[in-house]
Amino acid sequence: MFRKFSFLLFSVVIFFSASGQNGQWSRGGQRPSFSISGKLVEEGSDTPVEFATISVFKVSDSTLVTGGISDEKGFFNIETGPGRHYLKIQFMGYEDVIVSNVNLGRGNFSFDAGKIQIKQDQRLLEEVVVQAERTQMELTLDKKVFNIGKDLSNLGGSATDILDNLPSVQVDVEGNVSLRGSENVRILIDGKPSGLVGLSSNDALRQLNGNLVERVEIITNPSARYDAEGLAGIINIVLKKEKAKGVNGSFQINTGIPANHGGSINLNFRKDWVNFFTNFGISYRGIPGSGDAFQEFGDPVTRTTNRTRDMNRGGINYSTRFGADFFLNDQSTITLSFLYRFSDEDNETTIEYFDHFIASGEDSVTVRLDDELEDDENLEYSINYTRNFKRKGQKLTADIQYQNNNEIEGSDLVESTGITLGNQLPRLYQRSNNDEIEERLMLQSDYVHPFGKDGRLEGGFRYTDRLVGNDYIVEEQDAFGVYQIDTDISNNFEYEEKVFAVYGIVSNKINKLSWQLGIRYEDTNLTTFQKTQDQRNVQKYSNFFPSTFLTYQLNEKHSVQASYSRRIRRPRGRFLNPFFSIADTRNLFVGNPFLQPVFTDSYETGYLMNNRSSSFYAGVYYRHSEGITQRLRSTDDEGITTTRPFNVSKEDSYGIELNASKDVAKWYRVSGNLNFFRSFTPGGSVSFENQVTTFNSATATSLTTRLSNNLKLNKLFDAQINISYRAPRNTVQGKRFSITSIDLGFSRDVMKKNGTISLSVRDLLNNRKYRGETFNPGFHEVSEFQWRSRTTQFSFTYRLNQKKQRERRSRRSFEEGEFEGEGF
């Protein structure tokens, strides 16, 4: 916008300046035509420099005669009058260039300056770097944007590591992502459902190479433009993609302890009407984890169990995405892209049970070994058409996306018993094979039509058809050593979800007050088919999802907003399948085919302040949910614990969120986040297949906070210290204990700032452990689990035709992104 405004102002000045010169050539008939031409390229790369300013001055008194700008190929052609001139060429981030001896007159009607090389101004670029480093966290009223490449603690990590390091976002021991204390959050890739999330978003995010992620957007109260799925909001993971002219990109390699080795490539090549882009990441990880639990059974207690679990998950995985933007003309673009992800993992788990029977005083030890091979393959094909009309803000987009995902898990399991660990006899041999497939088709189109000075009409539709199949076969060795299919556990399950949505939004501005009203309609057809038992369950429902936003601009730096939206959380396939896995025969997860959707009304109001060296956001939010889903645990007489999801009740939750950042000095920047929330869920009981599970009312009061310190130490290296804390929290069947962790990161530029070496330590004190307590009638458990121990990571990044952290987006552009309809 600044460049366009500068060019407009410059053109006005040139027009009136040139008009003042015209009179001297009007005498004697037609005026002769004189012109100055040439081509601007970047020194070293020969890349054309577009939109540079070329000014023509008189040699005699240095007055401005006329001027122009270079086109997309770097060429310029300026009409002027006769005389002795010189040229001054200017472009932001480059040194000025003077071209002398530009003489025009009789017999010399044109001057060709040829190829003019301009070089980057290192001093100005350093200023750009300083400004860019202030934008690790971008704050706007409707979303928070986190630029991942600037967080040193994320280097070499996965997408799960990145999310777990963001304010107000938590990842639990099973990899479930929650936002502001709620697991009902929608995760998107580049604004759409993606194969990179895969069949199991928990495992897929863990396998996604974090080096491919450019930024993460957190939208806590989305408008009608967005998918209504996700009660707590949307987390949008944006992958890296360049559009700069010529060839540019970055390369990264990393290694770490425990085993975490890999590399990534991000490249693009743009010439004339086409832009090719590609991302590729490969990694090998070994993720050791461990946990233990102490359990008491009966009332009074008749048996106690100490359970230990040691696991090592890991293997090789890689992700690649490539595509092309085809610029049909100045207004129309077609983008084709293909995404492929594959992982090959070998996961080993050992579970040990130390049982003590109080009445007899006897002890027993059971050991269960699980050696699992897991292959996961995801393919995604996308086509996008974008048409920008001549009127500013008028835009049409159309998208087609198809996904095909496949996941195969094969396990060999051996269970042995004895009085002690050294006296074990195998008693059970099992093997399982789980073959999951997913197909998804999405059709979407959006249109934005401006009216008046600030008004806009928006509308669009989306259709998705998602089919998931799960063929699970369990075999058990009989007395003759022959494996027989266990028909009580094996099952074939199918889940299909069809959603058709249309929406409309109208917005306008009255003086300092901006308003937006939206409505979204979604028609859902959900079918589950348990082929093993020939049971089919169909759910159909149609719902409206209104949204309202009001923003009042106090001045350029201060604004306030109030918003409302209605959201939905549909039950997923794993939660609907009434069969279970045999990985741990004493702790089972079983789906509930009668789960219903959860609806939430979300309200939020906030205040935002953006200064040159600081930013601050304070918001208050409230959510009312009907039919909230909770995973409830029940224990039978044999000590087998079953976890099953239920629509338990309603839930009311509210909270306060604070975000702030401040440049304390040129060498020190600090930012922080605090999210305090409180929720209430009434108690009660639920039944399933004649088994009653009770739960208590729960008032959960908790907070999460994160403090990030960024330091520049005498130009030797950059350092970052992150401290995070999660307070204890009550649940309907127990409580979770607090977690505190510290991450460190160091980096230094090398090779004339084309390269960067980095060292990071995640969970410095090795205490990022998930601890909790569960209460049930006749059952009590205290548990602790660590998904991954402290990690140390070293990485090297090399940039090709790029400057470190040279931002292509300013804070203002992020704020305008939502206003200009850059939706999903």
Side-chain angles (χ1 to χ4, degrees):
M1 181 175 290
F2 174 77
R3 184 180 295 172
K4 292 179 179 178
F5 176 78
S6 300
F7 171 60
L8 179 61
L9 180 62
F10 176 80
S11 300
V12 172
V13 173
I14 293 300
F15 173 78
F16 285 107
S17 299
S19 297
Q21 308 292 328
N22 287 344
Q24 59 183 311
W25 290 100
S26 60
R27 187 189 313 163
Q30 186 175 0
R31 177 180 59 172
S33 176
F34 299 90
S35 64
I36 303 171
S37 61
K39 182 179 182 181
L40 304 182
V41 297
E42 184 180 67
E43 185 179 277
S45 67
D46 250 16
T47 302
V49 178
E50 57 182 346
F51 304 125
T53 301
I54 303 96
S55 304
V56 181
F57 294 92
K58 278 186 178 182
V59 173
S60 58
D61 56 7
S62 295
T63 58
L64 178 66
V65 178
T66 185
I69 62 171
S70 57
D71 62 17
E72 291 186 352
K73 297 181 180 180
F75 290 104
F76 65 89
N77 193 309
I78 303 171
E79 292 189 359
T80 184
R84 299 175 59 209
H85 306 92
Y86 68 91
L87 308 180
K88 186 175 183 179
I89 300 169
Q90 297 172 297
F91 189 61
M92 182 179 295
Y94 290 80
E95 295 181 0
D96 294 349
V97 175
I98 301 296
V99 179
S100 304
N101 300 320
V102 181
N103 301 321
L104 298 172
R106 297 185 183 276
N108 188 21
F109 294 97
S110 64
F111 178 88
D112 186 359
K115 184 186 293 185
I116 304 172
Q117 293 186 334
I118 62 175
K119 64 179 181 179
Q120 295 176 339
D121 189 329
Q122 296 300 322
R123 179 181 58 84
L124 291 177
L125 286 177
E126 289 300 322
E127 294 176 0
V128 172
V129 170
V130 172
Q131 177 65 26
E133 288 173 351
R134 292 175 179 167
T135 59
Q136 179 175 318
M137 178 176 64
E138 299 283 351
L139 293 176
T140 65
L141 281 170
D142 67 314
K143 62 184 172 184
K144 290 178 283 292
V145 182
F146 299 91
N147 297 308
I148 300 307
K150 300 165 193 174
D151 194 334
L152 300 180
S153 61
N154 287 323
L155 295 173
S158 66
T160 297
D161 297 327
I162 290 173
L163 295 181
D164 197 29
N165 224 14
L166 296 180
S168 302
V169 179
Q170 300 87 40
V171 182
D172 69 10
V173 62
E174 297 177 351
N176 298 303
V177 178
S178 60
L179 175 62
R180 288 178 170 175
S182 173
E183 292 182 3
N184 297 313
V185 58
R186 179 71 154 168
I187 299 177
L188 304 174
I189 304 292
D190 287 334
K192 300 179 181 67
S194 173
L196 282 180
V197 176
L199 287 161
S200 170
S201 61
N202 304 349
D203 287 337
L205 291 173
R206 178 176 56 83
Q207 295 163 359
L208 175 59
N209 195 321
N211 298 332
L212 304 181
V213 179
E214 178 177 322
R215 67 181 188 273
V216 177
E217 300 173 346
I218 297 178
I219 308 170
T220 53
N221 212 11
S223 69
R225 179 186 308 112
Y226 302 99
D227 194 352
E229 181 76 25
L231 304 184
I234 292 171
I235 296 178
N236 182 35
I237 300 174
V238 180
L239 302 182
K240 294 177 180 177
K241 178 185 174 182
E242 295 284 348
K243 284 190 176 182
K245 293 266 186 172
V247 179
N248 62 88
S250 62
F251 308 84
Q252 185 176 91
I253 57 173
N254 60 269
T255 184
I257 301 173
N260 186 4
H261 318 295
S264 64
I265 299 173
N266 299 283
L267 284 175
N268 91 287
F269 170 72
R270 179 173 179 180
K271 185 174 178 61
D272 298 330
W273 53 273
V274 65
N275 174 62
F276 296 99
F277 57 88
T278 184
N279 315 111
F280 176 79
I282 185 171
S283 65
Y284 172 82
R285 292 189 177 98
I287 307 175
S290 62
D292 59 76
F294 176 73
Q295 300 172 325
E296 294 177 316
F297 300 90
D299 186 16
V301 178
T302 59
R303 187 186 67 175
T304 63
T305 298
N306 277 305
R307 185 188 71 198
T308 65
R309 180 183 180 188
D310 290 294
M311 56 186 294
N312 188 22
R313 298 175 61 89
I316 190 169
N317 62 82
Y318 58 87
S319 306
T320 183
R321 183 183 70 155
F322 58 86
D325 301 307
F326 298 95
F327 306 99
L328 306 181
N329 50 48
D330 293 339
Q331 297 173 314
S332 299
T333 304
I334 291 180
T335 300
L336 308 178
S337 65
F338 170 72
L339 180 151
Y340 180 76
R341 183 177 69 85
F342 179 80
S343 66
D344 183 4
E345 295 194 348
D346 188 354
N347 307 317
E348 298 178 351
T349 304
T350 301
I351 302 175
E352 298 173 344
Y353 294 95
F354 298 85
D355 298 310
H356 175 69
F357 299 89
I358 294 177
S360 64
E362 295 180 351
D363 293 325
S364 174
V365 178
T366 301
V367 179
R368 187 169 178 84
L369 305 177
D370 182 356
D371 186 3
E372 179 193 61
L373 297 178
E374 179 180 346
D375 292 338
D376 192 356
E377 185 179 46
N378 311 116
L379 298 93
E380 178 180 301
Y381 311 84
S382 301
I383 302 175
N384 167 266
Y385 171 76
T386 299
R387 170 69 187 273
N388 290 294
F389 297 86
K390 292 183 179 180
R391 184 172 184 177
K392 182 181 178 182
Q394 187 178 2
K395 184 177 182 179
L396 173 67
T397 61
D399 294 272
I400 301 175
Q401 185 184 80
Y402 173 74
Q403 300 173 29
N404 187 353
N405 308 325
N406 181 256
E407 183 178 306
I408 299 177
E409 300 171 341
S411 290
D412 289 313
L413 303 105
V414 179
E415 187 172 299
S416 59
T417 59
I419 300 176
T420 64
L421 277 176
N423 183 24
Q424 293 286 304
L425 291 176
R427 70 173 186 88
L428 180 64
Y429 292 89
Q430 293 176 308
R431 62 189 185 191
S432 66
N433 187 81
N434 189 26
D435 189 355
E436 292 184 80
I437 62 168
E438 177 188 30
E439 290 186 89
R440 184 200 298 264
L441 173 67
M442 186 198 77
L443 307 175
Q444 177 177 326
S445 183
D446 301 275
Y447 176 69
V448 181
H449 186 86
F451 66 89
K453 181 181 178 182
D454 299 301
R456 294 201 328 166
L457 290 173
E458 301 180 48
F461 80 91
R462 172 186 283 188
Y463 171 77
T464 57
D465 186 350
R466 179 171 180 253
L467 176 66
V468 177
N470 188 326
D471 190 2
Y472 186 52
I473 298 176
V474 177
E475 297 175 301
E476 185 174 320
Q477 195 176 94
D478 61 18
F480 302 100
V482 179
Y483 280 95
Q484 305 288 343
I485 294 179
D486 188 337
T487 56
D488 293 332
I489 305 175
S490 300
N491 69 94
N492 194 341
F493 179 75
E494 208 171 77
Y495 162 91
E496 185 173 19
E497 178 188 270
K498 297 179 181 180
V499 180
F500 175 77
V502 292
Y503 75 92
I505 295 176
V506 59
S507 60
N508 211 332
K509 184 176 182 180
I510 304 173
N511 297 324
K512 294 184 177 182
L513 178 66
S514 300
W515 57 269
Q516 182 191 92
L517 298 176
I519 187 71
R520 186 180 185 93
Y521 170 81
E522 293 191 352
D523 180 75
T524 303
N525 189 331
L526 191 153
T527 303
T528 61
F529 182 29
Q530 181 50 257
K531 296 182 178 180
T532 304
Q533 299 176 336
D534 194 27
Q535 293 181 350
R536 188 182 299 270
N537 184 32
V538 179
Q539 296 184 29
K540 295 183 179 181
Y541 39 89
S542 301
N543 309 97
F544 288 94
F545 300 93
S547 66
T548 303
F549 289 81
L550 295 173
T551 302
Y552 187 78
Q553 195 78 29
L554 301 173
N555 52 45
E556 290 184 357
K557 299 178 181 179
H558 305 268
S559 53
V560 293
Q561 185 188 63
S563 61
Y564 161 78
S565 67
R566 184 168 173 81
R567 313 287 297 163
I568 187 174
R569 174 68 171 180
R570 299 177 181 90
R572 291 301 180 221
R574 177 173 178 260
F575 277 29
L576 294 169
N577 189 356
F579 283 78
F580 56 85
S581 166
I582 61 170
D584 183 351
T585 53
R586 295 198 190 182
N587 290 275
L588 308 177
F589 180 89
V590 183
N592 181 356
F594 304 108
L595 273 185
Q596 297 295 310
V598 184
F599 294 93
T600 292
D601 292 290
S602 177
Y603 305 82
E604 184 167 354
T605 182
Y607 160 78
L608 175 66
M609 183 273 291
N610 265 329
N611 277 329
R612 180 177 179 83
S613 61
S614 63
S615 61
F616 175 76
Y617 173 80
V620 179
Y621 58 90
Y622 168 74
R623 293 193 300 260
H624 175 78
S625 301
E626 293 285 347
I628 198 72
T629 301
Q630 293 276 3
R631 291 190 291 269
L632 302 182
R633 302 178 69 181
S634 60
T635 305
D636 62 19
D637 295 335
E638 297 181 1
I640 297 177
T641 300
T642 301
T643 302
R644 180 180 281 115
F646 290 96
N647 296 106
V648 295
S649 182
K650 65 180 181 179
E651 181 181 77
D652 291 291
S653 60
Y654 55 89
I656 300 173
E657 183 169 11
L658 303 175
N659 290 278
S661 64
K662 173 67 176 178
D663 292 334
V664 180
K666 291 184 178 180
W667 56 272
Y668 178 46
R669 178 178 182 271
V670 62
S671 62
N673 166 273
L674 185 145
N675 178 42
F676 170 84
F677 58 91
R678 182 181 177 90
S679 64
F680 174 75
T681 304
S685 63
V686 292
S687 62
F688 187 85
E689 295 180 350
N690 299 321
Q691 184 177 15
V692 178
T693 302
T694 63
F695 56 94
N696 300 321
S697 62
T699 299
T701 302
S702 187
L703 67 87
T704 62
T705 184
R706 182 174 185 261
L707 183 69
S708 180
N709 302 271
N710 297 268
L711 305 97
K712 289 182 173 296
L713 304 179
N714 295 326
K715 297 185 179 181
L716 295 176
F717 57 86
D718 294 349
Q720 187 177 81
I721 305 172
N722 295 332
I723 304 171
S724 62
Y725 172 74
R726 302 180 194 174
R729 181 183 180 184
N730 293 329
T731 67
V732 294
Q733 288 187 314
K735 58 184 176 181
R736 303 172 192 168
F737 300 130
S738 63
I739 301 177
T740 303
S741 62
I742 300 176
D743 300 330
L744 298 179
F746 305 90
S747 70
R748 178 178 173 83
D749 293 334
V750 295
M751 305 173 67
K752 298 181 180 180
K753 294 185 179 290
N754 288 315
T756 301
I757 54 176
S758 304
L759 175 68
S760 64
V761 181
R762 185 173 173 86
D763 194 11
L764 177 67
L765 303 181
N766 199 33
N767 57 359
R768 187 172 285 173
K769 300 177 181 179
Y770 300 86
R771 301 172 298 132
E773 190 170 10
T774 301
F775 301 95
N776 254 345
F779 176 76
H780 174 239
E781 178 187 74
V782 178
S783 62
E784 177 181 287
F785 187 82
Q786 186 175 30
W787 182 262
R788 187 171 186 172
S789 60
R790 175 178 51 236
T791 61
T792 302
Q793 192 75 25
F794 175 82
S795 67
F796 170 73
T797 303
Y798 178 77
R799 292 172 289 277
L800 175 66
N801 294 330
Q802 287 184 337
K803 292 297 178 182
K804 180 187 177 186
Q805 306 294 355
R806 189 177 176 188
E807 285 297 304
R808 298 175 303 281
R809 298 173 176 87
S810 65
R811 174 178 295 151
R812 179 63 180 167
S813 68
F814 275 115
E815 294 177 3
E816 290 177 346
E818 170 71 7
F819 184 75
E820 290 299 328
E822 301 296 333
F824 301 157

